[in-house]
Amino acid sequence: MSKTDVILEANDIYKSFGNVEVLKGISLEAKNREVISILGASGSGKSTFLRCLNFLEIPTSGTISVHGELVDIVNGKPVNPKHIEAIRSRLGMVFQQFNLWTHRTAIENVMEGPIYVKKIPKNLAREKAESLLERVGLKDRMHMYPSQLSGGQQQRVAIARALAMEPDAILFDEPTSALDPELVGEVLKVMQSLAAEGRTMIVVTHEMAFARDVSSKVVFFHAGKIAEQGTPDEMFNNPKTEVFQKFISKI
Amino acid sequence: MFELFSFGENGWGDEILDGVAITAQLAIATLPIGLFIGFIVAFAAMSKNKPLRAIGYGYTTLMRGLPEILTLFVVYNGAGLLLNTIIKWWNVDAQPIDFSPFIAGVIALAMVFGAFSAEVLRGAFNALDEGQVEAGRAVGMSPNVIFWRIKLPQIWRFALPGLGNLWINMLKDTSLVSIIALNDLMRMTKVAVAFTKQPFTFYLVACLIYWLMSLLSEIILAKMEQNANRGIMRV
Amino acid sequence: MDSLEIIIKYWPKLLDGTLMTLKLTFLSVLVAAIISPFLALTRANASPMVQAPLRLYISFIRGTPILAQLFLIYYGSGQFRPILQEWGLWSFFRDPFNCALLTFVLNTTAYQTEILRGGIMGVNRGEIEAGKALGMNKLRILQRIVFPHAYRIAWPALGNEIILMMKASALASVVTIFDILGRTRQIFSRTFDFSIYLWAAILYLCITAIFVLIWRQAELRLNKHIAPSDHLSADKK
Ligand SMILES: Nc1ncnc2c1ncn2[C@@H]1O[C@H](COP(=O)(O)OP(=O)(O)OP(=O)(O)O)[C@@H](O)[C@H]1O
Ligand SMILES: [Mg+2]
């Protein structure tokens, strides 16, 4: 894979809930090793867009392709729904509320996807899960249940769970918003190391420092559209639109 | 006194033990069928299809509002009638057959268990954390895998206390089949009473046996709950 | 005869049975409602030693079929006939209605006690302390704070228990009492028309439905009287 390979491409995504149009034609592509930060006010459609990318919400119309698996959506119906599960297993997702499976230990959470989606033998999945948990600094906690872990630890397990699927790209929806301030750092550190490793990431975040220092591209959502995008440098030092100027001045 | 309950010619120990065996068989045969009905009815009550939903709710309301013993009579008499009508229609010369009280008992108890367990299961489904289901979707699990690996274990956890209660209730309700002449614990006790003219002694023993079965069930259920709650209660 | 003719002919009997079902249910629930608050208080507060017999009684009732309890009292009393006659109690136990009533009272008292105990345990300790701080005596606190809350908490469960009792009262027919089911079986044995069971089912369902409506209305009243505003606004105060 070269740096310019496009991993994920979303084209002209529209999404309505009932009569309310939340996404109004969003196009975005993520190239290999790119880290994209999505910023925007509450309700601007960031989460909805991210959830559309792996079909947790079905867009009303548009096209999404991940590494050649292409899904066309017409009138809220995927034309080739068979590709959806394939796309999902190629995209990792980290949720704001962690969403760990409470009836399984940390390591079982990490092993579950590889075993039951990728059909990898158990012992291999276990070895892999152990090394991933070590990678996020939780090797000593791997047999604990989610309820025995702090929020920051739970989120790191969730990241390990996403990594275990060897995804082409990882989606993060405000991964640190549900955490106590003192726990935010440990999760951001893991994310930063993933970025340094060359992972392709799309991150919805309110952490401006992360957007500025870690991402390669910043996208600003406003009222269901992309109002402005560019490198962090351009965006933060030289914001062009009035809405984005206003947005960063508030922080 | 102890001779009364000895095993053999003079004692009633073996008869009563036979009754206990029938009672246990009845309860154990009812459980899977009742649970199966419970799942079907719960799915119906939660479905998007309106008539199906009405059937689901109607069934639970109906069965929970009727005395269990009435259900038993309806099944025993009604199903027997139906069966014989069908047989007659099939073969005019056929002798009328008796509908087995055991089967009638299992069907009636399972219908009741199904209605009550449907409510428990529906509550458990509603208590499912949608986020965890989504996390399953996000790693690309098929709906099938999501059901077996994520939903079912959690439903099991939520539903276990309620189902445990229903099991004990059903165990006690098995005593009703003695009224339709099945030789369960209750019925065998009645037979012993007729012979010995010691009704209090024998009915007390019957009560104690039921009590023991309930307490035993409670202990096992507590163990099962502990097991199902791994990782939930501990903080 | 078709089923309409049967119901036209036999409806007075069914009505009679309905009244019997209502009478049995109402009386047993009522007596239990008078006893259970005292037992519930004991269950909630008394020392383990005092509670032991009470717990044994409740565990026994909950662990055994009500049919077995009924037989134990109705048939079992026969074993003690001489003693009972001596004490002048035989005429009581000879009557199946009395035996059924006694069984049902003993049964539903155990359940009501446990339900009410749950309600008492659910009362906010702080409110009890506030009562103490005002100098209320124990009785006042029970009367003004503990029981109003406990009943409000326990109300839905008590309603369920009453419905269960109503359904269980059908067992009285087994000891020759002519309640709804007793009449139904009698009519069935004369006509062999199965539809009479369906009429009985309708009667039971109607009683349940009407009771549920009444109980909900009472719940609304109860909640209005005790907590004029909902939980959220109560918290804000
Ligand atoms: N399932 C849904 N049904 C109806 N409306 C929804 C649904 N999900 C989101 N919306 C609406 O879509 C709009 C965009 O929501 P979204 O969650 O994408 O915003 P967001 O940019 O992620 O905001 P935040 O920063 O608060 O997370 C909101 O107005 C929201 O109310
Ligand atoms: Mg959001």
Side-chain angles (χ1 to χ4, degrees):
Chain A
M1 253 187 279
S2 75
K3 167 111 191 181
T4 51
D5 280 343
V6 174
I7 300 268
L8 177 152
E9 194 176 348
N11 232 318
D12 213 17
I13 302 294
Y14 282 81
K15 173 69 183 173
S16 308
F17 291 108
N19 295 328
V20 187
E21 193 164 59
V22 176
L23 300 179
K24 300 168 184 164
I26 291 189
S27 301
L28 184 74
E29 67 173 32
K31 295 197 185 79
N32 190 27
R33 305 169 82 91
E34 226 176 359
V35 177
I36 301 177
S37 287
I38 298 180
L39 307 180
S42 182
S44 55
K46 308 178 299 286
S47 299
T48 305
F49 176 67
L50 210 64
R51 294 162 57 79
C52 281
L53 291 180
N54 65 356
F55 296 94
L56 290 180
E57 304 288 358
I58 308 290
T60 313
S61 69
T63 354
I64 291 169
S65 69
V66 175
H67 236 134
E69 311 264 10
L70 184 140
V71 177
D72 229 335
I73 305 105
V74 179
N75 284 333
K77 286 239 162 35
V79 175
N80 28 10
K82 291 239 168 70
H83 292 178
I84 287 183
E85 270 158 29
I87 285 188
R88 282 175 175 164
S89 66
R90 281 165 176 256
L91 294 178
M93 176 131 186
V94 176
F95 300 86
Q96 183 173 355
Q97 299 295 342
F98 331 135
N99 291 354
L100 289 184
W101 298 307
T102 50
H103 58 304
R104 307 212 188 280
T105 60
I107 191 162
E108 287 168 350
N109 264 277
V110 180
M111 291 162 61
E112 193 76 7
I115 294 176
Y116 288 94
V117 178
K118 291 195 141 181
K119 320 278 187 210
I120 288 174
K122 238 182 198 156
N123 50 345
L124 281 185
R126 183 180 308 274
E127 273 170 35
K128 177 110 180 279
E130 275 178 27
S131 77
L132 282 171
L133 284 171
E134 186 167 16
R135 165 116 178 36
V136 298
L138 288 171
K139 194 170 164 70
D140 52 330
R141 303 269 148 96
M142 63 185 180
H143 295 301
M144 293 193 171
Y145 285 95
S147 62
Q148 297 167 299
L149 299 172
S150 74
Q153 291 167 339
Q154 288 188 53
Q155 194 59 298
R156 286 186 278 151
V157 173
I159 292 174
R161 175 171 73 180
L163 290 173
M165 296 296 290
E166 300 182 331
D168 296 338
I170 310 178
L171 315 175
F172 293 82
D173 190 3
E174 301 195 31
T176 57
S177 297
L179 297 177
D180 292 339
E182 70 271 20
L183 300 178
V184 169
E186 62 189 63
V187 173
L188 285 181
K189 224 167 85 189
V190 169
M191 290 171 60
Q192 204 163 355
S193 76
L194 292 178
E197 208 179 87
R199 298 270 178 182
T200 311
M201 296 159 61
I202 301 180
V203 186
V204 173
T205 185
H206 289 301
E207 297 287 336
M208 288 306 136
F210 181 91
R212 185 165 42 212
D213 303 336
V214 181
S215 50
S216 49
K217 179 165 153 191
V218 174
V219 177
F220 177 67
F221 272 40
H222 180 68
K225 287 185 173 158
I226 295 181
E228 188 171 344
Q229 56 182 318
T231 65
D233 212 27
E234 294 164 3
M235 295 281 285
F236 286 103
N237 298 330
N238 192 9
K240 293 187 193 69
T241 58
E242 204 175 311
V243 274
F244 189 53
Q245 282 166 4
K246 228 181 183 173
F247 180 79
I248 47 176
S249 70
K250 270 195 218 139
I251 291 156
Chain B
M1 168 82 205
F2 284 108
E3 202 180 300
L4 272 181
F5 296 100
S6 66
F7 296 80
E9 288 290 302
N10 308 321
W12 290 91
D14 38 353
E15 279 82 359
I16 288 181
L17 216 60
D18 287 348
V20 171
I22 297 280
T23 294
Q25 283 168 23
L26 199 58
I28 289 167
T30 300
L31 183 66
I33 303 173
L35 259 183
F36 181 73
I37 297 177
F39 267 104
I40 301 277
V41 174
F43 283 136
M46 291 184 304
S47 97
K48 292 201 179 82
N49 181 311
K50 253 198 180 151
L52 212 58
R53 218 163 50 217
I55 291 174
Y57 277 108
Y59 179 80
T60 46
T61 314
L62 180 76
M63 292 308 295
R64 297 191 312 154
L66 294 183
E68 288 75 5
I69 182 174
L70 179 66
T71 306
L72 184 65
F73 280 136
V74 168
V75 170
Y76 186 53
N77 295 324
L81 231 70
L82 198 72
L83 202 68
N84 278 317
T85 317
I86 292 173
I87 288 173
K88 269 259 152 54
W89 174 72
W90 200 278
N91 174 1
V92 189
D93 304 323
Q95 291 296 311
I97 59 159
D98 251 348
F99 191 47
S100 144
F102 187 87
I103 294 178
V106 169
I107 293 176
L109 291 172
M111 281 168 70
V112 173
F113 191 92
F116 281 90
S117 63
E119 289 294 279
V120 171
L121 291 171
R122 210 161 53 80
F125 271 104
N126 287 336
L128 270 183
D129 172 12
E130 191 49 37
Q132 293 182 42
V133 174
E134 259 186 5
R137 266 184 229 136
V139 298
M141 288 181 178
S142 65
N144 204 12
V145 172
I146 290 178
F147 180 79
W148 288 102
R149 299 293 305 172
I150 301 175
K151 288 187 175 171
L152 202 62
Q154 303 219 25
I155 287 164
W156 177 238
R157 195 183 86 216
F158 294 135
L160 194 57
L163 293 179
N165 267 335
L166 294 182
W167 159 260
I168 292 177
N169 284 347
M170 188 258 281
L171 195 65
K172 294 188 289 174
D173 283 345
T174 57
S175 64
L176 301 178
V177 297
S178 66
I179 300 172
I180 57 166
L182 181 62
N183 289 333
D184 73 326
L185 169 57
M186 206 61 207
R187 180 91 178 172
M188 291 316 266
T189 307
K190 196 170 188 142
V191 174
V193 164
F195 267 87
T196 61
K197 308 285 180 236
Q198 299 209 22
F200 190 83
T201 314
F202 276 93
Y203 280 120
L204 186 64
V205 166
C207 280
L208 293 179
I209 293 173
Y210 279 113
W211 197 9
L212 197 73
M213 289 195 282
S214 298
L215 292 178
L216 216 63
S217 300
E218 266 171 37
I219 293 171
I220 294 171
L221 283 163
K223 276 263 172 323
M224 287 169 73
E225 270 175 52
Q226 226 174 36
N227 211 311
N229 280 337
R230 268 168 313 155
I232 313 304
M233 293 314 193
R234 276 179 280 165
V235 177
Chain C
M1 259 194 299
D2 72 12
S3 71
L4 209 62
E5 283 175 54
I6 288 176
I7 197 70
I8 288 169
K9 177 160 177 214
Y10 287 107
W11 74 264
K13 277 200 187 307
L14 270 185
L15 180 68
D16 185 57
T18 306
L19 292 179
M20 180 51 114
T21 291
L22 291 176
K23 186 166 135 194
L24 260 179
T25 309
F26 179 77
L27 282 180
S28 25
V29 166
L30 183 72
V31 177
I34 294 167
I35 309 170
S36 59
F38 299 99
L39 299 186
L41 270 183
T42 316
R43 272 293 275 124
N45 297 318
S47 69
M49 280 295 282
V50 180
Q51 278 192 40
L54 195 52
R55 292 176 72 145
L56 206 66
Y57 152 67
I58 291 170
S59 170
F60 178 83
I61 294 287
R62 296 219 288 193
T64 53
I66 188 164
L67 184 68
Q69 296 161 12
L70 179 61
F71 285 179
L72 183 66
I73 290 177
Y74 181 60
Y75 296 116
S77 57
Q79 197 170 329
F80 306 107
R81 185 169 172 180
I83 308 173
L84 290 171
Q85 273 172 334
E86 199 173 309
W87 293 348
L89 286 173
W90 179 241
S91 58
F92 178 89
F93 282 101
R94 212 179 40 193
D95 181 358
F97 179 85
N98 292 340
C99 288
L101 189 61
L102 180 63
T103 308
F104 296 162
V105 165
L106 286 174
N107 187 281
T108 191
T109 298
Y111 285 98
Q112 288 190 29
T113 298
E114 278 308 273
I115 292 168
L116 206 49
R117 179 186 81 107
I120 291 173
M121 305 293 262
V123 178
N124 186 350
R125 310 267 349 141
E127 293 190 34
I128 296 173
E129 271 168 18
K132 282 185 192 154
L134 283 181
M136 286 187 181
N137 65 23
K138 275 195 177 146
L139 197 65
R140 260 293 116 77
I141 289 176
L142 287 179
Q143 179 199 351
R144 303 297 308 167
I145 301 166
V146 174
F147 276 115
H149 273 311
Y151 274 104
R152 191 167 53 90
I153 296 169
W155 199 253
L158 283 175
N160 272 339
E161 167 55 20
I162 294 173
I163 292 175
L164 289 179
M165 190 63 249
M166 196 273 293
K167 296 198 306 169
S169 76
L171 291 178
S173 64
V174 179
V175 292
T176 71
I177 289 174
F178 287 113
D179 68 337
I180 297 178
L181 189 62
R183 286 296 180 202
T184 305
R185 292 174 71 186
Q186 187 189 32
I187 299 168
F188 182 71
S189 69
R190 287 184 198 167
T191 61
F192 287 103
D193 188 303
F194 185 67
S195 67
I196 194 69
Y197 277 115
L198 304 181
W199 288 109
I202 290 172
L203 274 176
Y204 279 111
L205 289 177
C206 284
I207 295 177
T208 306
I210 292 169
F211 173 79
V212 166
L213 284 181
I214 294 173
W215 203 253
R216 285 232 184 92
Q217 279 307 310
E219 186 176 351
L220 291 180
R221 285 267 170 87
L222 202 64
N223 284 342
K224 210 188 291 173
H225 169 64
I226 293 164
S229 45
D230 58 45
H231 286 289
L232 284 176
S233 52
D235 280 349
K236 276 181 206 143
K237 269 181 223 163

